[in-house]
C-alpha cells in the first residue's frame, strides 16, 4: 500500500481537524436554525439530525480517504438495520465515533460529558439526542434504556476513553444497560494499524504510514446467552462486563496476522 | 407486630451480606474502613441496588442524600442508622 509522505499528511491532518470542528459547529447551527423555523415533530427531528450527521460523516471520511490520510474496511453492518440493539465497541482512535456515525443508521451515542458540553460539538449532540455520560450513572441508565425501547441503535464505548492494547478494563455502564433493558447486544471490534489519534497522541503525530481502519460487527447475543441471568443484577453486570472485555480484546480480530510483530 | 429497630451491628451485618450476595464480594474483603468505590468497585448503579435491598431491613425507603459523599462501609452504615432513627 503506497503511502503519501508525512510532509503532506501532517498539514492535511491539521486541515481535517479544522474541517471537523467547523463542520460540527456549522451543522449544529444550520440544523438548529432550520429546526427552529420548521418545528418538525420530536421523533422525526431526531431522525433527521442523525441522518444529516450520517451524511456529513460519510463525506468527511470520503475526504480523509481522498486526501490519502487513511484507508478502511468494514463488515457486517447490514445486520444493524433493525434497531433497539446495544452496540458495544472498543475505542482505539478519535475517528471511531465518526466512522460509526457514518456506518450505523439512526444511531444514538453515549458521549462523554466533555463532548456534550463542548461549544463546537455540544449543539449537534443535543439535537441528535445523544446521551451524555454524566457522573451519576442512574440518569445514564434510564436514558439509555428509554432510547433502546424507542428503537434506537445505541452505541457505547465501554472503555470510556480511547485505549489500545490488551487488558483494557471496561466501565460497567454498558453491561448495566444491557442487564436492565434485556436488549440484544452487538459487539463491534475496531482495529487501526498503525495506531493513530490515540489518547496521548497530538494531532500532528501522524503515523509512519497511512493508517488502515477495520470495523467488524460480530454476531449479536442476548444477556442470557452468555451469563446466568438469574443472579442478582449487580453480579450479572459484572459477569457480562467481563465477557465484553474478553470479546473485544484486540488480538481476537478476524484475520489478525500477529500485528505489531 | 411490634418489631424492634435494628441495631448498628444488625445494619453492618446486613450491609456485608448485601455486598456478598449482590456483588459476589468476599466477606474477608469487607470491613468498616474499606472504600466502596476504590476497594469494592461499587458504582452509582450498584449503590441504588444496595438502597433497594436495605428496604428489607428498615421497612422504609432508604433515600440517602448526597450518596457520593459516602466513601466507606462505615459511612454507609452510619447513614442507614441515621435514617432508621429519624422517627
Amino acid at each position: 500500500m503506497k503511502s503519501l509522505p508525512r510532509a503532506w499528511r501532517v498539514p492535511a491532518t491539521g486541515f481535517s481537524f479544522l474541517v471537523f470542528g467547523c463542520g460540527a459547529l456549522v451543522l449544529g447551527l444550520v440544523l438548529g436554525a432550520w429546526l427552529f423555523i420548521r418545528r418538525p415533530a420530536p421523533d422525526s427531528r431526531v431522525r433527521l439530525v442523525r441522518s444529516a450527521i450520517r451524511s456529513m460523516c460519510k463525506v468527511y471520511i470520503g475526504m480523509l480517504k481522498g486526501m490519502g490520510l487513511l484507508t478502511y474496511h468494514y463488515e457486517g453492518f447490514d445486520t444493524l438495520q433493525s434497531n433497539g440493539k446495544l452496540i458495544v465497541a472498543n475505542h482505539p482512535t478519535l475517528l471511531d465515533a465518526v466512522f460509526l456515525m457514518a456506518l450505523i443508521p439512526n444511531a444514538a451515542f453515549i458521549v462523554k460529558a466533555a463532548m456534550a458540553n463542548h461549544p463546537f460539538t455540544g449543539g449537534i449532540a443535543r439535537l441528535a439526542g445523544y446521551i451524555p455520560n454524566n457522573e451519576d450513572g442512574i440518569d445514564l441508565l434510564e436514558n439509555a434504556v428509554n432510547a433502546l425501547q424507542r428503537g434506537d441503535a445505541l452505541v457505547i464505548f465501554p472503555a470510556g476513553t480511547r485505549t489500545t492494547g490488551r487488558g483494557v478494563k471496561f466501565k460497567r455502564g454498558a453491561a448495566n444497560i444491557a442487564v436492565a433493558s434485556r436488549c440484544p447486544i452487538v459487539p463491534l471490534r475496531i482495529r487501526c494499524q498503525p495506531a493513530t489519534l490515540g489518547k496521548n497522541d497530538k494531532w500532528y503525530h501522524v503515523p509512519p504510514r497511512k493508517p488502515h481502519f477495520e470495523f467488524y460487527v460480530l454476531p449479536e447475543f442476548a444477556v442470557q446467552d452468555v451469563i446466568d441471568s438469574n443472579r442478582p443484577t449487580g453480579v450479572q453486570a459484572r459477569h457480562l462486563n467481563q465477557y465484553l472485555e474478553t470479546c473485544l480484546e484486540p488480538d481476537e480480530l478476524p484475520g489478525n496476522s500477529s500485528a505489531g510483530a | 407486630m411490634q418489631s424492634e429497630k435494628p441495631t448498628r451491628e444488625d445494619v453492618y451485618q446486613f450491609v456485608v451480606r448485601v455486598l456478598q450476595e449482590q456483588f459476589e464480594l468476599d466477606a474477608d474483603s469487607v470491613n468498616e474502613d474499606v472504600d466502596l468505590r476504590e476497594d469494592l468497585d461499587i458504582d452509582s448503579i450498584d449503590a441504588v441496588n444496595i438502597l433497594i435491598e436495605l428496604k428489607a431491613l428498615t421497612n422504609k425507603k432508604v433515600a440517602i442524600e448526597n450518596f457520593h459523599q459516602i466513601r466507606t462501609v462505615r459511612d454507609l452504615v452510619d447513614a442507614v442508622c441515621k435514617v432508621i432513627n429519624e422517627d
Side-chain angles (χ1 to χ4, degrees):
Chain A
M1 193 186 314
K2 215 170 145 256
S3 204
L4 288 162
R6 282 172 117 161
W8 159 256
R9 285 185 290 127
V10 172
T13 302
F15 174 75
S16 308
F17 268 75
L18 201 69
V19 169
F20 185 84
C22 296
L25 183 65
V26 170
L27 185 64
L29 291 173
V30 170
L31 275 174
W34 189 85
L35 295 169
F36 183 76
I37 296 163
R38 300 297 296 270
R39 300 192 180 276
D43 266 18
S44 59
R45 189 193 70 190
V46 166
R47 273 184 179 267
L48 200 132
V49 173
R50 287 176 187 169
S51 69
I53 292 177
R54 193 170 178 223
S55 311
M56 294 298 274
C57 288
K58 280 183 182 172
V59 169
Y60 185 72
I61 288 164
M63 182 193 90
L64 297 178
K65 194 181 174 198
M67 291 200 303
L69 292 176
L70 53 79
T71 52
Y72 58 84
H73 169 80
Y74 57 89
E75 268 180 45
F77 282 78
D78 45 336
T79 60
L80 295 181
Q81 300 298 325
S82 87
N83 292 333
K85 295 174 186 175
L86 182 68
I87 298 157
V88 182
N90 61 322
H91 194 6
T93 90
L94 194 57
L95 279 173
D96 304 337
V98 180
F99 270 102
L100 297 190
M101 282 171 191
L103 290 167
I104 305 169
N106 195 29
F109 283 74
I110 293 182
V111 295
K112 270 191 183 175
M115 190 237 167
N117 299 325
H118 193 277
F120 280 27
T121 51
I124 189 75
R126 266 191 301 279
L127 290 174
Y130 292 171
I131 301 170
N133 180 9
N134 44 17
E135 287 309 304
D136 188 355
I138 304 307
D139 288 348
L140 170 66
L141 188 64
E142 265 183 30
N143 291 334
V145 172
N146 288 340
L148 287 163
Q149 282 167 354
R150 269 200 310 272
D152 292 3
L154 184 64
V155 183
I156 184 166
F157 297 104
T161 188
R162 280 168 278 159
T163 48
T164 47
R166 296 182 64 80
V168 173
K169 287 283 161 215
F170 287 173
K171 299 204 168 69
R172 280 195 302 273
N176 273 312
I177 292 165
V179 168
S181 72
R182 300 276 144 193
C183 62
I185 302 162
V186 183
L188 198 160
R189 279 202 206 117
I190 302 173
R191 179 165 66 159
C192 176
Q193 291 287 334
T196 183
L197 300 172
K199 184 76 184 160
N200 300 315
D201 297 333
K202 297 282 181 225
W203 68 267
Y204 47 83
H205 289 161
V206 304
R209 58 189 163 83
K210 176 160 72 172
H212 181 63
F213 286 76
E214 290 166 285
F215 301 85
Y216 298 96
V217 175
L218 305 183
E220 75 175 60
F221 60 86
V223 173
Q224 61 271 20
D225 295 343
V226 295
I227 58 159
D228 180 355
S229 56
N230 296 316
R231 304 293 307 276
T233 54
V235 174
Q236 285 186 57
R238 281 162 173 75
H239 289 180
L240 182 59
N241 199 44
Q242 283 162 10
Y243 181 85
L244 290 172
E245 283 170 353
T246 321
C247 191
L248 292 172
E249 277 279 302
D251 268 18
E252 309 293 320
L253 279 165
N256 189 350
S257 50
S258 61
Chain B
M1 190 176 71
Q2 183 72 31
S3 65
E4 298 221 344
K5 278 183 181 176
T7 64
R8 193 179 186 290
E9 181 59 22
D10 293 338
V11 174
Y12 175 72
Q13 291 303 336
F14 192 88
V15 165
V16 173
R17 193 158 56 78
V18 168
L19 291 171
Q20 278 177 273
E21 285 172 5
Q22 296 290 313
F23 312 115
E24 286 191 322
L25 291 166
D26 192 349
D28 296 341
S29 66
V30 181
N31 62 56
E32 293 231 7
D33 293 313
V34 295
D35 189 298
L36 290 165
R37 287 172 197 77
E38 300 293 322
D39 303 322
L40 301 182
D41 191 24
I42 299 293
D43 62 23
S44 55
I45 293 163
D46 297 333
V48 172
N49 285 330
I50 295 175
L51 296 185
I52 292 168
E53 293 297 316
L54 281 165
K55 256 171 84 173
L57 176 78
T58 58
N59 291 319
K60 62 178 172 182
K61 191 164 178 268
V62 184
I64 296 178
E65 285 169 45
N66 304 325
F67 197 89
H68 38 272
Q69 283 177 7
I70 290 179
R71 297 206 62 81
T72 62
V73 170
R74 174 175 294 114
D75 297 342
L76 176 61
V77 172
D78 288 343
V80 175
C81 289
K82 202 173 151 216
V83 170
I84 291 170
N85 293 319
E86 259 169 6
D87 46 21

